[in-house]
Amino acid sequence: MATIKDIARLSGYSIGTVSRVINHHPDVSDKARAAVERVIRESGFQPNSNAKLLKQAVSSAITVFVKGNSNMFLEDILEKIQTHLRNSGEESNVVFLDESENEIKAAIQTELERHPCGFIFLGGSLNHFRQSFSSLSTPSVLVSTDASGIDSDLLSSFATDDYKGSYEAAKLLIENGHRRIGIIGGYMSYGGNVITSSRLAGTVDCLKDCGIEIDLDQQFVPSRFSMDDGYRAAKKLLKRNPDLTAVMAHSDEIAIGALRAFNDMHKGVPEDISLIGFDGIEYVRYTIPRIATIRQDTEAMAKKSVDDLLMRISYPRKGVHETIPFEVIAKESIRKI
């Protein structure tokens, strides 16, 4: 039996457009409506009437939780998600949370007060999901963090492999001759942040696999995912380790702050110290020098997340967990020694 995903593939239109045609939304072009209805007739597709009635009974918008008040990477995904939702005729409410806040507690309160038809979490703590997600009854997607270990049919996730990405970043520094490498990353105490722990583990394991000893008490400084905190952490790291030749920053925002800190400390990048970030935000293309990074595919994350959520809102089914490929971008901030 054909599914809504099959109808979208055969018609050439998005799942959101197909859903609007099935639910008789007016904001669909005549061309799109005709194409989708033709495929529905030819495939013998039968909409799930219970799911359809449920969708029509729910009037509240999708709620998007953004973990971090100034995270440019998540804001980039947010912009793309809002575009895809808007193109699918869906409204959204956005809630910004501090890195230290519990996003599941916020979602439980929102579910009670607003009865949203879906949740999208941009960033999140797996500990919070393990402890409390079972209290939710709303279809959800976790973006940028792998939730495959969470036992719930209501949850999907789309994320880059942070461990492999950081491993490749450290490998790039080592291939360019660097052995005294410092690390600036997130705070481990914020609800068991899986991004922080995965990126740190990837960096450390790569160094160890290449026979490079590292003392985390000396060569690792925690930081929020912000330029201000990256600046502070970079100064602390370099004062503690003046002989470093390279730094791995676990976000591009941290790397931008570190770049300014090194400049203020009269350390040239890459002449005196090489630098690589993580995420691939637009800003690193315009820094001087351009900062090397691990680029995540935010467009793929946004589209897959929206398509998956809209499909499961209309046609309940088990969530999926998908790893989105990353790309190593070697730019001007790394010097071979």
Side-chain angles (χ1 to χ4, degrees), residues 20-279:
R20 296 206 306 281
V21 171
I22 292 171
N23 289 287
H24 306 295
H25 283 217
D27 55 337
V28 180
S29 70
D30 292 341
K31 180 181 177 181
R33 189 179 302 279
V36 171
E37 289 178 343
R38 176 179 58 78
V39 173
I40 289 174
R41 288 194 302 272
E42 292 175 353
S43 64
F45 174 74
Q46 293 294 323
N48 182 322
S49 58
N50 290 334
K52 190 175 175 185
L53 289 171
L54 177 64
K55 176 74 159 67
Q56 291 171 344
V58 176
S59 59
S60 296
I62 290 168
T63 298
V64 184
F65 292 100
V66 184
K67 196 72 176 289
N69 294 312
S70 60
N71 189 314
M72 288 188 286
F73 169 68
L74 295 182
E75 289 175 6
D76 178 36
I77 303 179
L78 173 62
E79 183 178 351
K80 292 178 171 64
I81 282 175
Q82 289 179 307
T83 297
H84 286 296
L85 287 173
R86 189 164 50 248
N87 290 343
S88 297
E90 300 287 344
E91 295 182 357
S92 62
N93 294 316
V94 180
V95 178
F96 287 90
L97 302 171
D98 186 79
E99 288 182 25
S100 62
E101 289 188 72
N102 188 319
E103 64 280 3
I104 302 303
K105 285 185 178 180
I108 291 171
Q109 190 66 30
T110 300
E111 189 176 71
L112 289 171
E113 295 175 354
R114 300 184 184 178
H115 309 291
C117 58
F119 286 131
I120 297 177
F121 296 91
L122 297 188
S125 160
L126 287 187
N127 279 355
H128 295 158
F129 278 80
R130 292 189 188 100
Q131 292 164 3
S132 309
F133 185 79
S134 59
S135 300
L136 293 172
S137 58
T138 302
S140 303
V141 178
L142 177 56
V143 188
S144 82
T145 301
D146 177 18
S148 57
I150 305 298
D151 184 20
S152 174
D153 290 348
L154 286 173
L155 182 63
S156 289
S157 65
F158 299 89
T160 295
D161 189 325
D162 290 295
Y163 176 90
K164 287 185 178 179
S166 283
Y167 193 102
E168 291 300 318
K171 184 179 177 182
L172 180 62
L173 295 175
I174 294 166
E175 288 174 344
N176 278 276
H178 298 280
R179 299 186 67 83
R180 287 289 299 168
I181 299 170
I183 305 168
I184 306 175
Y187 285 93
M188 301 292 291
S189 60
Y190 286 164
N193 190 316
V194 70
I195 292 177
T196 297
S197 57
S198 295
R199 293 182 186 180
L200 182 59
T203 306
V204 171
D205 285 354
C206 182
L207 293 173
K208 289 182 177 179
D209 289 347
C210 294
I212 300 174
E213 294 295 326
I214 182 167
D215 180 354
L216 287 180
D217 289 335
Q218 284 294 115
Q219 293 169 248
F220 169 71
V221 176
S223 167
R224 284 175 176 260
F225 288 81
S226 72
M227 286 183 277
D228 284 345
D229 236 33
Y231 180 92
R232 175 203 57 78
K235 279 196 165 186
K236 184 175 182 179
L237 178 68
L238 204 56
K239 287 177 181 177
R240 189 189 290 173
N241 304 271
D243 59 341
L244 291 180
T245 66
V247 169
M248 168 70 200
H250 285 159
S251 83
D252 288 339
E253 288 187 75
I254 292 174
I256 294 170
L259 179 65
R260 181 70 243 183
F262 296 150
N263 183 273
D264 288 351
M265 298 175 78
H266 308 292
K267 292 285 187 179
V269 176
E271 298 82 11
D272 300 312
I273 190 163
S274 291
L275 178 65
I276 187 168
F278 199 115
D279 288 334

Side-chain angles (χ1 to χ4, degrees), residues 294-324:
I294 302 299
R295 191 184 75 84
Q296 302 194 62
D297 191 342
T298 55
E299 175 59 33
M301 284 186 190
K303 186 176 189 309
K304 286 175 180 289
S305 298
V306 170
D307 285 352
D308 170 82
L309 184 62
L310 294 183
M311 180 173 67
R312 289 188 296 113
I313 288 171
S314 293
Y315 303 93
R317 63 186 64 197
K318 188 174 182 178
V320 300
H321 303 281
E322 186 174 333
T323 300
I324 308 298

